Amino acid sequence: MKLHAIYLKAKEGGFTGYFSEFPEAIAEGETEKEVETNLFEALKLIFEYRREQSIGEIQKGTSSTTEYELEIA
């Protein structure tokens, strides 16, 4: 799976970025590298939140689950 990061120069300095595939994952930083690090942290938090929401559905007995390992290089 490939993700596409979009970096925007901020008027006040630094950068803002997001993944086109996950626009809710937004990050800021002084450099593009710092934004990249922060974007992956934001993505991790989104996945953790969604997993917690899914676990609630599984515990209610309204859904089932299968686990997959996804490597993003």
Side-chain angles (χ1 to χ4, degrees), residues 7-9 14-15 29-37 39:
Y7 299 96
L8 306 167
K9 263 195 157 174
F15 296 87
E30 291 299 315
T31 65
E32 288 184 9
K33 185 65 178 169
E34 185 179 355
V35 174
E36 178 185 301
T37 298
L39 276 174

Side-chain angles (χ1 to χ4, degrees), residues 7-65:
Y7 299 96
L8 306 167
K9 263 195 157 174
K11 291 179 185 177
E12 60 279 351
F15 296 87
T16 300
Y18 64 94
F19 289 117
S20 58
E21 296 81 3
F22 294 94
E24 66 272 34
I26 301 169
E28 297 178 327
E30 291 299 315
T31 65
E32 288 184 9
K33 185 65 178 169
E34 185 179 355
V35 174
E36 178 185 301
T37 298
N38 294 340
L39 276 174
F40 279 105
E41 183 62 27
L43 194 58
K44 178 182 170 188
L45 292 172
I46 289 168
F47 287 159
E48 288 174 0
Y49 171 78
R50 290 183 180 170
R51 185 178 307 113
E52 289 172 7
Q53 297 302 305
S54 296
I55 288 171
E57 294 299 315
I58 293 165
Q59 290 173 340
K60 289 184 215 172
T62 57
S63 66
S64 63
T65 183

